Amino acid sequence: MNLSVQLAPRNKTGLELSNPVIAASGTFGYGTEYAEVLDIQKLGAIISKGITLQPRQGNAQPRLVETASGLLNSIGLENIGMSATIESKSPLWAEWQVPVIVNIAGESIDEFAQLAKALDGVPGISGLELNISCPNVSAGGMEFGTNSEMAVKVTSAVKKNTGLPIIVKLTPNVTDIVEIARAVVSAGADSLTVVNTFKGMAIDTAKRRPILGNTAGGLSGPAIKPLALYSVYKVAQAVQVPVIGCGGIASANDALEFIMAGASAIQVGTATFADPHTMLNIVEGITQFMQQNGLSCLNDLIGTANLG
Ligand SMILES: Cc1cc2nc3c(=O)[nH]c(=O)nc-3n(C[C@H](O)[C@H](O)[C@H](O)COP(=O)(O)O)c2cc1C
């Protein structure tokens, strides 16, 4: 049974995963937090919490609200910063079999370039995921991902400063996600993550105030699955690089939907909070589906629901 996927075929070093199930940024810490809860080496890859040049405290509390079928968060990129990531996390990652991809976020194009340069060649880092889609920060973040010119500038600046595979994470909060996808691929993206959270809010009616300290946040979880799936379906038909599906995936069947829509791999975020074993259950479920359907290679399933 061959579940392996290549997520950066255009890059010299490539980014080969033993299976297509990836821990989504911001929902799996730095990987180390979960090492004693599950066998993290069995995952396809781990994407770190979003890293910035300097450490960040994040936004005002409360930063999480549960909604009917999703989770609203406004964490605001709380993280330990670039230097601490290199010094205290990457040596551990270097000992792991599972590839670790670092999610990076800058407030300017220059900050993205600096992050790319500093992380290039650090043992234990297998790729970069560019967060040009964070809805919860006042500078940078989603601003870069909603404008194709800016998205191109960020991608090119990172490309110039690293040989690592580059995954660009797109926001769904745009009129035409395909336009942004095409733009960043032309600027050198090796693959795309589709999608980050959808901007939303919740109101405390007793207080007549927004619940989140930051007023609005990003919606994730089952509520966004059909929306994310359709974005993957559209983007996968428009670009020649691998697409990584993300948004509301909680079961093997969800993952298979994304793969059949054209995703080469998938990320799991919010579902890990409910059950940390979700990702390993998905790997098992995909394997079973392939066995039951007489398939030996995952590639044979990618995009099979795409009728053109
Ligand atoms: C608490 C929380 C923190 C997140 N932090 C980040 C982050 O730092 N960088 C990023 O690119 N995405 C971040 N995300 C978005 C997730 O990686 C993912 O794109 C999104 O939650 C949709 O997937 P899901 O429905 O499986 O959770 C975060 C999501 C949540 C719920």
Side-chain angles (χ1 to χ4, degrees):
M1 182 78 59
N2 182 4
L3 288 191
S4 71
V5 282
Q6 174 52 256
L7 291 185
R10 306 202 298 185
N11 180 282
K12 240 194 287 168
T13 42
L15 182 56
E16 170 132 340
L17 273 50
S18 63
N19 71 67
V21 182
I22 304 170
S25 178
T27 62
F28 210 66
Y30 300 91
T32 45
E33 296 87 338
Y34 282 90
E36 282 174 18
V37 182
L38 68 152
D39 187 353
I40 57 171
Q41 308 303 335
K42 288 193 176 149
L43 298 172
I46 292 170
I47 304 188
S48 78
K49 174 66 195 161
I51 302 299
T52 48
L53 271 185
Q54 302 301 331
R56 282 176 67 108
Q57 303 281 329
N59 290 330
Q61 300 282 358
R63 307 195 295 194
L64 288 175
V65 189
E66 275 195 54
T67 67
S69 53
L71 179 69
L72 271 172
N73 92 82
S74 64
I75 306 293
L77 295 181
E78 177 181 352
N79 77 95
I80 59 174
M82 180 186 77
S83 302
T85 303
I86 295 172
E87 281 153 29
S88 68
K89 303 296 176 189
S90 66
L92 300 170
W93 297 338
E95 291 172 13
W96 295 355
Q97 205 182 315
V98 58
V100 176
I101 295 158
V102 175
N103 179 286
I104 60 171
E107 290 190 5
S108 64
I109 291 166
D110 185 56
E111 280 193 16
F112 270 102
Q114 284 185 56
L115 282 157
K117 196 169 196 169
L119 297 169
D120 185 42
V122 174
I125 300 179
S126 297
L128 300 179
E129 184 180 61
L130 313 193
N131 182 0
I132 57 166
S133 44
C134 183
N136 300 319
V137 288
S138 54
M142 216 173 81
E143 254 168 50
F144 292 124
T146 52
N147 175 311
S148 51
E149 257 173 62
M150 291 296 280
V152 161
K153 282 187 185 159
V154 172
T155 310
S156 309
V158 169
K159 184 90 185 162
K160 258 190 226 138
N161 284 283
T162 185
L164 285 169
I166 299 170
I167 304 168
V168 179
K169 185 165 181 179
L170 303 182
T171 174
N173 301 299
V174 290
T175 310
D176 183 6
I177 195 169
V178 168
E179 180 200 327
I180 311 275
R182 284 202 175 109
V184 297
V185 168
S186 72
D190 291 298
S191 48
L192 305 175
T193 299
V194 180
V195 288
N196 207 320
T197 53
F198 289 72
K199 202 148 186 175
M201 75 181 297
I203 290 175
D204 180 334
T205 50
K207 293 186 185 150
R208 303 181 196 177
R209 304 286 306 155
I211 299 179
L212 289 170
N214 198 40
T215 305
L219 184 66
S220 61
I224 71 169
K225 198 194 87 180
L227 306 169
L229 185 65
Y230 185 50
S231 289
V232 166
Y233 183 74
K234 284 189 298 183
V235 170
Q237 289 174 67
V239 298
Q240 300 298 318
V241 300
V243 172
I244 305 166
C246 181
I249 298 172
S251 67
N253 197 68
D254 292 342
L256 286 163
E257 283 191 67
F258 278 80
I259 291 165
M260 290 175 190
S264 298
I266 57 99
Q267 294 182 15
V268 178
T270 304
T272 296
F273 294 144
D275 178 1
H277 294 97
T278 302
M279 287 184 282
L280 294 183
N281 294 340
I282 291 177
V283 178
E284 210 177 289
I286 293 175
T287 309
Q288 266 172 20
F289 179 90
M290 289 175 60
Q291 276 163 352
Q292 282 159 7
N293 289 275
L295 295 161
S296 57
C297 189
L298 183 77
N299 282 322
D300 295 340
L301 274 180
I302 299 172
T304 46
N306 175 356
L307 302 176

